[in-house]
Amino acid sequence: MRTLLTHATLIDCVEPRAQPDCSVLLEDGRIKEIFPGGAVPAIGDAETIDLEGNYLMPGLWDVHIHPDYLSLAEMPLADQVTLFGHRLQAGLLESGIVGFRCAGAHHFMDVAWKRAFESGQHLGPRLFASGHFLTTTGGHFLTSGHALEVDGPYGWVKAIREQIKNGVDHIKLNLSGGIMGPAWDLHRHSFLLDDELKAAFDICKLREFKVMAHATNPTAVKAAIQLGAHSIEHGYILDDECIELFLEHDVWYVPTLSISHLTPGQATNDWEHRWVKNRNLSHSLCCRADAASDVHQAGFIKALNAGVKMALGSDIRPLKDAALLELGLWVRDGATPWQALVAATRNGAAICGVGDQLGTIEVGKIADLIVVAGNPLDDINQVRRLRLVLKDGRVVADKRAEAR
């Protein structure tokens, strides 16, 4: 199958600029050739799609997600699995999010959907599975339904082996508290003893599994980096030594600004106001988020300016809205639209280990692409003006008629 995309304004997420009037030839699901400056090749039997100057860019990634927070009493497991698949598909088709990295899902529902999408049984995004969110007794995330409480060095080792046995891509470890939790679950508190930490990281290292570390305070962040974490999630409080360790050990940072920034008092546009209204957080949780927001932003900017590797993850739902809100918060907090776009495309693929295949528009890469009507380098919210979504070089969502 060959498709030629013509008259594209190309944002390849390699060069920080929009390149006008490009053509891109797709063949067998990959980018075969890129023609700059109005050059239109002889195409033979290729289907031609005229993009009419719209912006062609890599699809988006959200590298910190969860299914909806529902207990089995609220919704049977089969229905929860179905709902999660629907949410993932909506993220792809309605918002152009081509890749997701899961940060905790009970009963390995993320593994099930990963396999279903990869087999072609169902159309959906690329999904990287974590299985359960592993925490301690009395740890973080318990009300989500996706946490598994484990204790003691061997308890952690056994739980990690269970995740591996069930087909996960990475291991999600909880080292500390959070903002969204009961009064005893505080993000300034660390949860694991030294022997538990060592055992957890040792078994991951032996089995060559990357650790996605929920670490929210300097003590937890430093421990995770020094023990070999692949990524630090949240990092609500970062000191200068944390930044130095990120750079020294070449560790990823996923700041999840949405957790501390999306409250009634902080919402700044219609999308944020609608989300906050629908989310309807309790007053106490809003207060906790508001109190953490400035420090969180300061650490984010410190990491950004220092050149820490950063990828975009939202940690909120619904999945079709989450990454778009997080993109807006990155720019609101001081990132340039280019930095935000790279975090949500090139770096999203890279943190998942597939940066050599996805995340940019370059010859030889898989053609997971989106087309939007405005320039997100001028206004990051132009990514919301979605026109086309392509997966493996095939159009899977066409919204051009809706825009007319």
Side-chain angles (χ1 to χ4, degrees), residues 15-30:
E15 298 292 331
R17 60 189 176 89
Q19 304 170 50
D21 205 13
C22 295
S23 295
V24 178
L25 179 64
L26 312 178
E27 185 174 306
D28 297 327
R30 291 185 178 266

Side-chain angles (χ1 to χ4, degrees), residues 11 84 114 239-240 401:
I11 299 176
F84 186 38
K114 171 191 173 67
D239 62 19
D240 290 342

